Every structure is written in C-alpha cells, then in structure tokens.
Amino acid sequence: MDDVIESRIRLAKDYLAHTRLRVQEIAALCGYNSPEHFSRQFRRQCGMSPGQYRKSAQAQSRE
C-alpha cells in the first residue's frame, strides 16, 4: 500500500507544479475520494500542504 500512496503523491506533485487544477480536482485525479484525506496524506509524506508545495514549486521554477 505504501507504493500506491507514494505513486499517488508523486503524481499529485506533478499536477501541483505544472497545472492550475484545484487541489480537489488533483485529489480526484490521483484516486482519492476525499480531498481532506488527500491533504492529510500529502502533508504526512511531504511535510507541507498541497498548497504550500505548489507555491514552493512555482517559486523554484521562477529562479
């Protein structure tokens, strides 16, 4: 199950960094029924919320 979670989070990171999709839409595309559950798992795996990750990824791409 850990591999599935890692794969979903990896896909979510790509969507967050390269699209303007809402977090709820990304959660659904990555196989989550609940955006809240997605956000909790993302925070556990990455140490930040999906929104914080998006801001960080966008800031890095501007540098």
Side-chain angles (χ1 to χ4, degrees):
M1 190 62 183
D2 288 340
D3 290 337
V4 173
I5 293 169
E6 287 177 25
S7 179
R8 288 177 172 182
I9 297 299
R10 195 174 322 112
L11 180 60
K13 285 179 175 182
D14 190 50
Y15 281 129
L16 288 165
H18 300 104
T19 72
R20 291 179 172 256
L21 294 171
R22 295 180 7 227
V23 171
Q24 295 86 341
E25 294 170 310
I26 293 171
L29 288 170
C30 293
Y32 290 91
N33 294 325
S34 163
E36 293 82 11
H37 179 64
F38 164 70
S39 292
R40 280 192 304 271
Q41 274 200 333
F42 191 95
R43 186 181 293 273
R44 255 187 246 132
Q45 292 288 318
C46 303
M48 63 180 80
S49 72
Q52 290 169 326
Y53 180 85
R54 173 175 272 161
K55 286 180 187 174
S56 172
Q58 288 173 347
Q60 287 179 355
S61 70
R62 285 188 215 125
E63 292 176 359

